[in-house]
Amino acid sequence: MKNSLPENFLSFSLGWLPSHALECYIQAMERMQPPVAVRYNPAKSACMGAKEPDFVLKGPVEWARCGFYLEERPLFVADPLFHGGLYYVQDASSMFLEEAFGAIEKKLGEASLGGMKLRVLDLCASPGGKSTHLLSLLGKDSLLVANETIGGRTSALADNIARWGADNVVVTNNDAADFKRLGQFFDIVLVDAPCSGEGMFRKSIEALSNWSVENARLCAERQKRILGDIWEALAPGGFLIYSTCTYNELENDGNLKWMLSMGAELVPVDRPEWLHRMGVLSTPGGGMQFLPGLVEGEGQYFAVVRKTGDSASSAAEGRRCRKGAQEERSASASCKAYREDFPEYELLLYDTFLKGRRKSIASEMLLVASRMKTVTSGLLVAQIKGKDFIPHADLALSIFMAEKLQRGGSVLSGKYFKTVDIDRKTALKFLSREPFLLENAPSGHLMLLYKGCAIGFVKNLGNRVNNLHPVARRIRNTALV
């Protein structure tokens, strides 16, 4: 592998490393066996499936409470628990986001950011690894805006958010400059910037073949533009977490130095000595670098900065789009019949779809949705056709529903649907939308549970089953069934 690394790469990107670290990196690249890790969903951890995974755990990811290495890589697409959002497959190095949160907590003197009401933006979010991690770290009364600039990648992001089950999130499709419309709105911004991809060489032949010094320079300039555009959307006193999957000074410490010159304050990570023992390197400019061979993960860079200035309420706070407010009022009467079952939500009817916005952040969600190009937001509950309540697939996957299951008893008083436990074969047929029957199951709408984890809805007609799993999310390889 050493001989196939791009010309000038070692000297240009890794010249700052001590010799022993560089040798460890080269040996890791020659082995070409990247580790496999997953991060469990703490909101669904009470499911029986969390105790009986379809894979063998190797050990914990030290910097992420719910992260675990696996002994080997299974076929995740054939695991119904993956589709139910019980876990997310993610490189261990990128889970360092949790330590970045720890640095912010230490700076603020807070025990946990989960107890605060925050507005957070994941600017370059697809496919959703860091967004789902953020949702596990934030409280329900915090708002996450998960944005993806490339339109073709938003569906994967929205699907992964739906599987994770959180409803305090708005998925958007905007350029960084568009967020200026919100004013200084966000308390925390994560910029996992598009980069030259040096840290992905073991996983991506494309990243390996496309690397050049010139491309790294172009990426660094693009990153500066993104950072400069989004800086205006960060509230004074707010925090920006910057990350890349690369090593070179231009894209990493160079951009950190540039942010500091813009009026940012470096926020050092918490527990630096412990992290160094784990193999995480401190960069000359003040960032943290993950390097294959020193850590059990891929290449990743993190830095945290704070926008200097007194904390202030966003100028956009409390403003509501007139059109959105009118829609809310006109929908209220139609949703009255369902309010007692969803007391924490403002319910709205968009076309025939019943949606819920958590009351504690409803005004913020409406503001974002009215000013930004929005893909999805809140909780999709059901489709209403006359007097028929057709439960939406996202309701089954929701944390709202997981919590009801964990508390036991009938789901929503059995008013709209019942639950039925199914085996793996039936679950895979459901997820691939292949025909199947549910013998001895009640008729009507049913929520399917696999190892205690909800995976979706069907309408059981006795002699056949109407599958309500979204076509776009189906398992396409029917050979797995």
Side-chain angles (χ1 to χ4, degrees), residues 6-310:
E7 186 179 357
N8 297 332
F9 163 69
L10 294 178
S11 58
F12 178 80
S13 297
L14 297 176
W16 62 276
L17 287 175
S19 58
H20 78 279
L22 184 59
E23 187 60 33
C24 287
Y25 170 77
I26 292 172
Q27 291 176 4
M29 298 303 288
E30 289 173 345
R31 290 195 297 269
M32 285 296 290
Q33 290 295 326
V36 183
V38 300
R39 180 173 38 77
Y40 274 99
N41 188 339
K44 299 184 179 182
S45 60
C47 296
M48 180 177 64
K51 304 176 183 66
E52 301 177 4
D54 289 348
F55 40 69
V56 179
L57 300 179
K58 180 181 178 181
V61 176
E62 297 291 345
W63 44 84
R65 284 165 290 184
C66 295
F68 292 90
Y69 294 104
L70 307 187
E71 287 287 355
E72 58 184 7
R73 187 179 189 89
L75 188 60
F76 291 111
V77 71
D79 183 5
L81 296 176
F82 167 77
H83 298 274
L86 185 66
Y87 62 88
Y88 191 96
V89 185
Q90 185 179 19
D91 174 60
S93 296
S94 66
M95 297 183 199
F96 188 74
L97 177 63
E98 199 160 318
E99 285 293 322
F101 254 49
I104 295 173
E105 288 166 348
K106 184 176 181 180
K107 186 71 175 179
L108 293 175
E110 292 287 335
S112 172
L113 294 180
M116 300 177 65
K117 183 175 180 178
L118 299 168
R119 299 167 176 177
V120 181
L121 169 65
D122 184 357
L123 182 62
C124 311
S126 190
K130 290 185 173 67
S131 284
T132 55
H133 200 171
L134 284 168
L135 288 166
S136 294
L137 298 172
L138 295 169
K140 292 181 181 179
D141 292 333
S142 289
L143 171 67
L144 173 68
V145 178
N147 179 73
E148 175 52 50
T149 301
I150 302 172
R153 301 183 66 189
T154 56
S155 58
L157 173 61
D159 284 346
N160 283 325
I161 293 289
R163 291 187 187 99
W164 203 247
D167 54 55
N168 55 334
V169 57
V170 181
V171 178
T172 58
N173 172 213
N174 291 270
D175 188 74
D178 297 338
F179 286 94
K180 297 175 184 178
R181 303 169 193 164
L182 296 175
Q184 297 176 338
F185 185 78
F186 294 102
D187 301 300
I188 299 175
V189 171
L190 166 63
V191 180
D192 186 23
C195 66
S196 58
E198 297 168 349
M200 300 300 292
F201 281 177
R202 288 199 295 186
K203 290 185 174 181
S204 172
I205 297 298
E206 183 180 5
L208 188 64
S209 59
N210 288 344
W211 188 90
S212 68
V213 172
E214 180 58 29
N215 186 43
R217 295 186 190 279
L218 291 173
C219 286
E221 290 305 310
R222 177 171 59 172
Q223 291 152 1
K224 284 187 177 70
R225 179 190 68 79
I226 292 171
L227 290 167
D229 286 340
I230 206 58
W231 193 250
E232 296 184 36
L234 183 63
F239 297 86
L240 188 145
I241 303 170
Y242 179 65
S243 68
T244 70
C245 55
T246 192
Y247 310 117
N248 68 77
E249 189 271 344
L250 288 179
E251 298 180 73
N252 293 342
D253 276 1
N255 283 333
L256 174 58
K257 182 179 179 181
W258 182 77
M259 283 188 283
L260 297 178
S261 71
M262 285 171 44
E265 172 192 2
L266 180 66
V267 179
V269 298
D270 198 13
R271 308 190 294 172
E273 296 82 7
W274 175 81
L275 288 169
H276 293 161
R277 290 198 296 272
M278 295 293 106
V280 184
L281 299 173
S282 294
T283 64
M288 301 299 289
Q289 183 72 62
F290 286 73
L291 194 75
L294 295 184
V295 298
E296 198 171 355
E298 297 305 286
Q300 191 87 193
Y301 173 90
F302 276 91
V304 183
V305 300
R306 189 176 195 182
K307 188 174 185 178
T308 53
D310 296 332

Side-chain angles (χ1 to χ4, degrees), residues 382-403:
Q383 187 174 20
I384 308 299
K385 290 188 175 181
K387 294 184 178 180
D388 291 338
F389 179 103
I390 304 171
H392 195 278
D394 290 3
L395 179 62
L397 299 173
S398 68
I399 291 172
F400 166 83
M401 189 57 61
E403 290 175 344

Side-chain angles (χ1 to χ4, degrees), residues 379-424:
L379 174 64
L380 266 169
V381 177
Q383 187 174 20
I384 308 299
K385 290 188 175 181
K387 294 184 178 180
D388 291 338
F389 179 103
I390 304 171
H392 195 278
D394 290 3
L395 179 62
L397 299 173
S398 68
I399 291 172
F400 166 83
M401 189 57 61
E403 290 175 344
K404 285 190 172 294
L405 289 170
Q406 290 165 21
R407 287 196 294 266
S410 58
V411 177
L412 294 180
S413 304
K415 187 186 298 185
Y416 307 114
F417 50 84
K418 298 176 181 177
T419 61
V420 61
D421 294 298
I422 57 174
D423 59 19
R424 182 189 181 91

